[in-house]
Amino acid sequence: MAAGLDFESRAFIDDAFVDAVSGDTFASINPASGETLARVASCDAPDAERAVAVARAAFAGGDWSRLAPGKRKKILLRLADLMEANKHELALIDTLDMGKPVKSSLGDMAGAIACIRYQAECIDKLYGEVAPTGEESLALVLREPIGVVAAIVPWNFPLMMTAWKIAPALAAGNSVILKPSEKSPLSALRLAQLAHEAGMPRGTFQVLPGFGQTVGKALALSMEVDCLAFTGSTAVGKQLMQYAGQSNLKRVYLECGGKSPNLVFADCKELDKVASHAAAAIFHNQGEVCIAGSRLLVENAIREEFVERVLKAAEGMQPGDPLDPESFMGAIVDETQHRRILDFIRQGVEEGARLRTGGQALDGPGLFIPPTVFDGVTPQMTIGREEIFGPVLAVFGFDSEEEAVAMANDTPYGLAAGLWSQDIDRIMRVTRRLQSGQVFVNNWAGGDQTMPFGGVKQSGNGRDKSHHSLEEYSNLKSVWMTLQMG
């Protein structure tokens, strides 16, 4: 227990908090202090089997799946209101659990609440279709919920990523089983309490904490799970697709890894401002961001000057106490990720990249790594190709637009890309040529709930946010009626 909080640490199955069938638990640890926050239920296949059976019965019962869209909307809006009323507690839980700055966690809460409200408001405003036919027929295109959805979410934005998955799935009328990351499970369990308070019908929303190789695998292989929604690494995403093929060909939507390029052309204005955005694009949330602008591609005519500006910006983005509202960065989520980041930094030095700042873990308690910048990176270097998921920036130089685009696209990923220029013709050309699910022009990570979020290539195939996400959690049904005319 920490900060006077009494964390719920049991699984939420069939409208009740219960221990795992095995009785096993795992430690949820504050990475900023090393303190154990709670012993959390470690679910496995028997827990998944029970939750899936409950979810299937709830879906068949129709208390949610056949509830009028307007009534589902009211319950989801009630949940959003409860999240709003408890946003400081929810933000504190995520900060303690995974180490992110509390200011960032509060921003996540705003995003999660906005997502719930947006999807709730969408659901009773989407119409079916009447296909064109002759008078002797009537053809309808209906959109219906899929059934049982298993959502497997990551640890870097615990509640915001959860909302992106569960909001459209619930709005569409599905029963949802949430598997939060074992690195940040506590806010999901608090969310289950709020969903129950909001009036979510029994069995409609359940939470199974545990590990990917146990309860996550069981959900992915279940013959009674109709859809998997996942955000995480590309390697795990590939494994989940295999599990879907080995079981019931369940629908799989993936938002996976990234190595996002951020292109800065020499015609930019306000280079200090651009440099600050470029630094924040990689150092926000300790670099533990799927769309982190981890590859900075700068036109050589301004590269030396621009890198100096980035280094200056990074000085003001040092890690600090996650509970301090002034801290830009917090702690790395756990020791495994901490070691992984430091190993990549070591490889960068060994492969000949020029270390300009950072590169060493900070002394003292907690898992902290300062902003780290490498210049002179080439596409063959490990730090220039692999997703590090930490505060490590790789800077490349280019001389032409063609070279910049080729370098940007030279990656198996395609989640996000940035482009900084004052030339509208160049902006239109490059935007269309970048192989990415989203392109940020003269900003980084811009957008709101109206914009779909997702990638191409090995960054995945699904879309979160916007009304497009509702399409992923519903089936089309074609109804052709023969009419008796005259």
Side-chain angles (χ1 to χ4, degrees):
M1 190 182 299
L5 290 174
D6 184 11
F7 300 107
E8 177 56 68
S9 58
R10 296 167 295 172
F12 187 70
I13 303 174
D14 198 12
D15 224 28
F17 286 99
V18 296
D19 294 327
V21 170
S22 65
D24 290 343
T25 63
F26 61 92
S28 181
I29 297 173
N30 180 350
S33 66
E35 177 186 8
T36 296
L37 301 171
R39 299 291 309 184
V40 182
S42 186
C43 294
D44 206 332
D47 307 283
E49 184 176 352
R50 182 186 173 206
V52 169
V54 169
R56 174 62 62 196
F59 183 78
D63 287 347
W64 184 256
S65 60
R66 295 197 294 273
L67 191 65
K71 293 182 178 179
R72 293 202 300 269
K73 177 177 77 170
K74 288 182 180 179
I75 293 175
L76 288 171
L77 289 177
R78 196 175 302 139
L79 172 59
D81 289 344
L82 288 169
M83 292 171 67
E84 181 84 48
N86 293 275
K87 64 183 180 181
H88 291 98
E89 178 195 354
L90 292 168
L92 177 59
I93 290 172
D94 276 352
T95 288
L96 293 173
D97 209 7
M98 62 81 53
K100 70 190 308 164
V102 69
K103 184 177 180 179
S104 177
S105 292
L106 283 169
D108 293 355
M109 292 311 110
I113 293 163
C115 181
I116 299 283
R117 286 179 173 151
Y118 179 91
Q119 298 295 344
E121 290 290 357
C122 274
I123 195 60
D124 64 350
K125 300 171 183 66
L126 295 178
Y127 289 78
E129 301 172 22
V130 178
T133 65
E135 292 183 351
E136 71 283 358
S137 301
L138 176 64
L140 307 178
V141 181
L142 308 178
R143 190 168 287 281
E144 299 181 337
I146 296 174
V148 177
V149 174
I152 301 176
V153 298
W155 45 264
N156 55 333
F157 295 91
L159 263 194
M160 192 167 75
M161 294 291 100
T162 290
W164 286 12
K165 302 300 185 192
I166 71 167
L170 288 170
N174 298 287
S175 296
V176 176
I177 301 170
L178 173 66
K179 206 296 279 184
S181 170
E182 66 278 5
K183 299 181 182 184
S184 58
L186 297 178
S187 61
L189 294 168
R190 180 68 177 111
L191 181 66
Q193 293 175 322
L194 298 180
H196 175 78
E197 186 178 342
M200 200 75 66
R202 182 173 183 170
T204 301
F205 179 61
Q206 302 176 89
V207 180
L208 301 182
F211 293 84
Q213 65 269 27
T214 55
V215 68
K217 181 178 180 180
L219 290 170
L221 285 170
S222 172
M223 298 294 289
E224 291 296 322
V225 170
D226 302 294
C227 175
L228 271 179
F230 170 75
T231 292
S233 72
T234 294
V236 174
K238 291 179 179 180
Q239 189 66 63
L240 293 177
M241 293 191 79
Q242 291 183 42
Y243 291 152
Q246 292 168 18
S247 53
N248 60 345
L249 285 178
K250 59 178 60 66
R251 199 175 301 184
V252 181
Y253 291 116
L254 306 171
E255 192 258 281
C256 297
K259 192 70 175 175
S260 299
N262 202 3
L263 285 64
V264 179
F265 287 89
D267 64 7
C268 276
K269 296 179 180 179
E270 300 183 275
L271 287 184
D272 281 336
K273 183 177 180 180
V274 177
S276 180
H277 280 284
I282 177 62
F283 301 132
H284 170 65
N285 207 54
Q286 307 77 246
E288 297 167 330
V289 184
C290 55
I291 61 167
S294 54
R295 289 189 296 147
L296 180 60
L297 281 55
V298 187
E299 193 165 352
N300 281 324
I302 62 167
R303 185 170 63 84
E304 287 293 334
E305 174 191 2
F306 190 77
V307 171
E308 290 296 332
R309 294 172 188 259
V310 170
L311 294 174
K312 183 178 179 180
E315 291 176 3
M317 299 179 179
Q318 300 299 313
D321 181 357
L323 294 175
D324 183 348
E326 299 302 315
S327 295
F328 185 86
M329 293 203 305
I332 304 302
V333 67
D334 65 6
E335 291 183 355
T336 299
Q337 185 66 14
H338 190 257
R339 286 194 302 269
R340 184 175 186 272
I341 295 167
L342 293 175
D343 284 344
F344 274 114
I345 293 172
R346 175 184 51 77
Q347 284 183 278
V349 172
E350 292 175 352
E351 293 179 6
R354 181 185 176 196
L355 180 62
R356 299 295 303 273
T357 191
Q360 298 289 331
L362 299 184
D363 294 331
L367 304 172
F368 297 91
I369 297 176
T372 298
V373 178
F374 283 98
D375 197 2
V377 180
T378 65
Q380 294 74 35
M381 292 180 180
T382 303
I383 60 169
R385 299 199 66 81
E386 298 293 328
E387 183 179 37
I388 299 174
F389 226 64
V392 182
L393 179 63
V395 182
F396 303 73
F398 65 85
D399 292 309
S400 69
E401 182 181 304
E402 290 290 327
E403 183 185 6
V405 170
M407 193 180 299
N409 291 337
D410 183 20
T411 173
Y413 301 112
L415 188 55
L419 166 61
W420 301 82
S421 173
Q422 302 302 310
D423 184 336
I424 188 62
D425 293 328
R426 167 179 285 151
I427 288 171
M428 295 307 298
R429 285 194 306 269
V430 175
T431 295
R432 290 183 176 274
R433 293 180 60 194
L434 289 171
Q435 298 168 358
S436 177
Q438 50 213 319
V439 179
F440 307 118
V441 179
N442 293 328
N443 72 88
W444 187 266
D448 57 21
Q449 292 299 322
T450 65
M451 294 293 288
F453 182 102
V456 298
K457 301 197 288 188
Q458 292 188 43
S459 287
N461 57 15
R463 290 296 181 271
D464 294 314
K465 304 198 306 180
S466 84
H467 67 85
H468 293 286
S469 63
L470 284 163
E471 300 167 6
E472 300 184 352
Y473 301 106
S474 56
N475 288 322
L476 289 180
K477 176 180 284 185
S478 298
V479 180
W480 188 280
M481 303 181 192
T482 299
L483 305 177
Q484 299 298 321
M485 304 299 295

